[in-house]
Amino acid sequence: MCRWLAYSGSPLLLDTILYKPAHSLIDQSLHSRLGVETTNGDGFGIGWYTDHADTPAVLRDVGPAWNNRNLREIADHVESPLFFAHIRASTGTAVQQTNCHPFRHGRWLWMHNGSIAGFHLMRRELCLLVDPALFFDIEGTTDSEVMFYLAVTLGLDQDPPGAVARMAGVVERIGREQGVEFPLQMTVAVSDGESVWAFRYSSQGKSRSLFYSSRVDSLRKLHPDMAFLQEVSDETRLVVSEPLGDLPGAWNEVPESSYGVVRPGADALFPFTPQAA
């Protein structure tokens, strides 16, 4: 599978989150504790938003994140208030740049950990459900990218949680028509540059790990000597496949079959159920 993180809050150098924590995403690319695989070396990607462009920037490569000099260089010099990072362990599709996350369409970023079981049985039918105007934007061969464009087709611009629920409903319906008992396994992050939605769901009810950081104001009270907590705003939040360290009180597990939204103001968690499209 894969590991990923989504950051939203005070503008930070990417290095602060990608490299500096004790169990950073770069460390996880070699030593994942909670993933299906210990090593996630089949490519990586980062996507970030700035005030200078209407669409996010994306950098992706097929090599492992732990020794990529370009990623190290970017991380030391790029600052962003909202960014995604993903390290890939392929579930069978090719190791190529177009299969690395995050995927981008317009202002949207999308990344996924998990798989569509029996994707080879469903791929044609799922692809035919993508809006024809979007179909040729699909560059790679992954189930993750097809999921993204299905969500765009099903209304991501207007209703992100509803679009992802309808996408999940389509995948489960077609999967079960093909005799797949548990078609979908997913933790997904999606953003329009202002909000971040994060989803944890699987057909089997045994989803991959997903955590969110505690409120910064609460953590300051617990750890008043931590300089990082004094430097970031109360709006700062992380959503991660696995915790970046062992700081007491810092991490909370996203409940099974749930999604959360991170945006200015109060964040919230909601139940997630696939819907018929």
Side-chain angles (χ1 to χ4, degrees):
M1 298 293 174
C2 310
R3 305 278 83 185
W4 59 254
L5 70 79
Y7 172 86
S8 176
S10 298
L12 286 180
L13 286 174
L14 306 188
D15 165 79
T16 307
I17 302 299
L18 293 183
Y19 285 90
K20 288 184 177 178
H23 189 47
S24 70
L25 197 68
I26 304 306
D27 180 66
Q28 291 175 36
S29 65
L30 274 170
H31 307 294
S32 172
R33 299 172 184 172
L34 302 180
V36 175
E37 298 88 3
T38 301
T39 303
N40 297 271
D42 294 330
F44 70 88
I46 54 173
W48 68 96
Y49 294 88
T50 72
D51 295 332
H52 313 301
D54 294 331
T55 58
V58 172
L59 172 72
R60 301 184 293 179
D61 202 351
V62 297
W66 63 77
N67 66 354
N68 190 280
R69 294 180 65 183
N70 288 329
L71 178 59
R72 176 74 267 185
E73 182 74 15
I74 288 283
D76 280 337
H77 292 82
V78 170
E79 188 177 74
S80 173
L82 199 166
F83 59 88
F84 281 10
H86 186 280
I87 50 176
R88 184 171 184 244
S90 172
T91 56
T93 49
V95 178
Q96 60 191 45
Q97 191 176 93
T98 53
N99 283 346
C100 294
H101 311 218
F103 302 102
R104 175 181 60 191
H105 176 73
R107 70 181 189 277
W108 292 97
L109 285 177
W110 171 282
M111 59 186 174
H112 168 230
N113 173 36
S115 64
I116 296 177
F119 180 57
H120 64 288
L121 301 173
M122 301 180 242
R123 182 178 174 186
R124 180 178 181 275
E125 191 169 354
L126 290 173
C127 286
L128 288 173
L129 294 175
V130 173
D131 185 333
L134 299 170
F135 182 79
F136 291 103
D137 291 335
I138 300 175
E139 297 182 324
T141 60
T142 63
D143 49 1
S144 304
E145 190 177 18
V146 172
M147 290 165 63
F148 178 31
Y149 280 96
L150 277 172
V152 176
T153 298
L154 296 169
L156 190 66
D157 270 327
Q158 296 77 37
D159 176 17
V164 175
R166 290 186 286 274
M167 175 277 294
V170 165
V171 170
E172 290 198 323
R173 173 179 61 81
I174 294 175
R176 285 166 180 156
E177 288 171 358
Q178 294 290 337
V180 179
E181 185 179 7
F182 302 119
L184 185 57
Q185 173 70 247
M186 70 174 205
T187 62
V188 162
V190 60
S191 180
D192 60 359
E194 297 180 5
S195 302
V196 176
W197 292 265
F199 301 82
R200 185 182 186 217
Y201 175 79
S202 64
S203 306
Q204 193 174 8
K206 297 179 180 179
S207 302
R208 300 292 180 253
S209 58
L210 193 64
F211 298 82
Y212 63 94
S213 61
S214 298
R215 290 175 55 92
V216 170
D217 54 353
S218 300
L219 288 173
R220 286 196 194 106
K221 294 174 183 177
L222 288 172
H223 307 284
D225 298 329
M226 283 204 66
F228 173 79
L229 296 174
Q230 308 305 320
E231 296 167 1
V232 297
S233 71
D234 288 353
E235 301 286 352
T236 297
R237 192 66 69 103
L238 277 155
V239 185
V240 298
S241 292
E242 56 187 82
L244 304 185
D246 300 320
L247 187 68
W251 301 102
N252 313 273
E253 187 172 13
V254 175
E256 182 69 50
S257 300
S258 297
Y259 78 92
V261 58
V262 177
R263 56 167 55 120
D267 303 330
L269 277 168
F270 305 94
F272 179 81
T273 305
Q275 299 176 8

